[in-house]
Amino acid sequence: MDEVLLRSLTPGVLAVMVARGADFAAAEDAVQDALVEAVRVWPADPPRDAKGWLVTVAWRRYLDAVRADAARRRREERVDQEPAPAPSPAVDDTLQLYFLCAHPSLTPSSAVALTLRAVGGLTTRQIARAYLVPEATMAQRISRAKRTVSGVRLDRPGDVATVLRVLYLIFNEGYGGDVDLAAEAVRLTRQLAAGIDHPEVAGLLALMLLHHARRPARTRPDGSLVPLAEQDRGRWDTKAIAEGITILQAALSRDRLGEFQAQAAVAALHADAQRAQDTDWVQIVEWYDELVRLTDSPVVRLNRAVAVGEADGPRAGLAALAELDVSLPRHSAVSAYLHERDGDVVTAARLYAEAAHKAPNLAERDHLTRQAARLNARIRG
């Protein structure tokens, strides 16, 4: 059973269900039932039209659920016959579904959470981590969003800003883990940029390309992480970097700066440096100042503290870090790095070990554990 195929077909099947008039929550349940049935049936009897098969089964499951609900509520439901499945559309419905999930009846944060869960395929835990909130809080937010849209037709698309936020978070999750997820985010953002002339759409595409260009150098053959300063820059995708910089320059020339353009400018400065020591950290700090002005994000301030430490010395970075909440994800890792650069290896070793316990994934945890072990060996030796 090809799980990647099933995942790629899911948004299109859900879009067909919604287009036929199914309410979102019930359609999502029906599609999930169809996927379970596919896992059971396809290995022995694969269909010629996988998407058409899923649409047919999901629609039947949806109708069954409608009838059952009507019976429970003692209401009559006239169903003369089940509608025959229409031919599967040849176009990609995924981006359309992203816009439909960004419904005007939802707040932007709820729309993003719902879309990430229902269409993007992220878990509640992954979404909660992206928003820096407890998993239980995010589960409640998603449940409320489902209840809100369960009684309305999803025929009023949401705004571009919400869809951009969804694509950005999906790319971030994929960039740190599933390469297919990141590539899918790039593909959809290209599609969006082709249809919408907006500097922030271009800024997000440039940002994705510039980060994705570094992917081949981010890990060693054993899967361990390679910090940016240690990466083999000869393995970076220069074609993607050139494309990203060209797109970014065109967006910036329109003088409508936004968050994604500013982030892409930081990524471009990293990509432009032939060696890590050639990085223009002063300019990077200036772009982070713009990002703070645009977003006032604690994560941006954390990244800015690292940049300040590189531009003005580790003590300046630690001073910037002292203004932030110590519970912020990766705060301990940044503090460990700056303390090591300042010569305080004992504190740095302790903080690396502390950061390893808080790491969001195995690769990052192993990297931080090795950093702590390296410093501890140095202290003992």
Side-chain angles (χ1 to χ4, degrees):
M1 172 52 56
D2 191 340
E3 294 183 4
V4 174
L5 172 63
L6 284 177
R7 186 172 63 183
S8 69
L9 291 173
T10 300
V13 176
L14 189 53
V16 172
M17 298 284 289
V18 171
R20 290 185 178 186
D23 73 80
F24 187 88
E28 185 185 13
D29 291 340
V31 172
Q32 292 300 319
D33 287 344
L35 294 176
V36 171
E37 185 68 7
V39 171
R40 187 182 70 83
V41 172
W42 285 10
D45 185 21
R48 284 180 295 180
D49 180 1
K51 185 175 181 180
W53 189 97
L54 287 170
V55 169
T56 300
V57 174
W59 187 249
R60 287 174 178 166
R61 294 299 173 91
Y62 171 72
L63 290 178
D64 289 344
V66 168
R67 293 195 193 101
D69 186 60
R72 283 194 300 270
R73 299 186 183 194
R74 300 179 181 276
R75 293 202 310 253
E76 292 186 354
E77 179 81 17
R78 292 186 177 182
V79 180
D80 296 329
Q81 63 179 23
E82 296 177 3
S88 299
V91 297
D92 183 358
D93 304 302
T94 307
L95 197 57
Q96 177 190 4
L97 192 56
Y98 275 51
F99 274 95
L100 291 175
C101 286
H103 197 271
S105 63
L106 296 172
T107 63
S109 61
S110 294
V112 170
L114 177 63
T115 311
L116 288 171
R117 184 70 185 93
V119 190
L122 301 192
T123 66
T124 303
R125 177 174 295 179
Q126 289 171 325
I127 301 168
R129 187 171 68 226
Y131 271 88
L132 309 180
V133 299
E135 184 176 354
T137 300
M138 184 53 67
Q140 292 174 357
R141 183 180 299 178
I142 294 171
S143 295
R144 285 196 300 269
K146 285 184 176 181
R147 287 196 299 270
T148 299
V149 300
S150 63
V152 300
R153 285 182 61 87
L154 295 182
D155 55 0
R156 297 166 57 203
D159 63 16
V160 175
T162 300
V163 174
L164 287 178
R165 178 62 51 185
V166 172
L167 292 170
Y168 172 68
L169 292 174
I170 288 177
F171 177 82
N172 279 352
E173 190 61 41
Y175 186 68
D178 185 347
V179 64
D180 292 330
L181 201 59
E184 173 69 356
V186 173
R187 184 185 71 82
L188 290 172
T189 306
R190 279 191 185 280
Q191 191 180 113
L192 184 61
I196 297 178
D197 183 20
H198 190 292
E200 272 295 81
V201 176
L204 179 58
L205 178 57
L207 174 63
M208 289 181 176
L209 290 171
L210 289 165
H211 277 297
H212 211 49
R214 300 203 301 259
R215 175 173 286 277
R218 289 187 71 244
T219 56
R220 299 182 178 88
D222 63 0
S224 60
L225 291 179
V226 181
L228 177 60
E230 300 173 18
Q231 288 177 15
D232 177 2
R233 300 186 177 216
R235 299 183 63 198
W236 289 1
D237 185 343
T238 54
K239 183 178 178 181
I241 290 172
E243 182 185 7
I245 290 176
T246 299
I247 292 170
L248 173 63
Q249 288 174 338
L252 291 174
S253 69
R254 300 175 66 174
D255 200 23
R256 291 167 56 193
L257 184 64
E259 172 188 357
F260 297 124
Q261 294 170 73
Q263 286 196 53
V266 172
L269 286 167
H270 283 298
D272 192 50
Q274 295 295 314
R275 303 172 302 167
Q277 56 267 40
D278 298 332
T279 305
D280 190 342
W281 287 106
V282 173
Q283 268 203 74
I284 288 176
V285 171
E286 291 173 356
W287 277 112
Y288 274 125
D289 288 340
E290 289 290 342
L291 274 167
V292 169
R293 181 182 62 81
L294 290 165
T295 69
D296 196 28
S297 163
V299 175
V300 169
R301 290 182 180 275
L302 184 70
N303 291 333
R304 179 184 178 277
V306 176
V308 169
E310 298 289 352
D312 300 326
R315 294 195 179 180
L318 287 168
L321 188 65
E323 301 174 2
L324 303 177
D325 188 338
V326 295
S327 66
L328 191 65
R330 296 188 172 89
H331 186 285
S332 298
V334 170
S335 183
Y337 173 74
L338 291 172
H339 274 96
E340 180 182 359
R341 287 203 57 223
D342 194 39
D344 187 354
V345 293
V346 174
T347 300
R350 175 179 58 79
L351 287 169
Y352 274 130
E354 181 182 308
H357 287 294
K358 301 176 182 177
N361 56 65
L362 182 61
E364 191 169 334
R365 186 189 70 189
D366 288 348
H367 170 71
L368 293 168
T369 299
R370 281 193 293 272
Q371 295 293 84
R374 174 179 59 82
L375 292 186
N376 282 324
R378 178 177 165 187
I379 293 168
R380 291 193 299 268

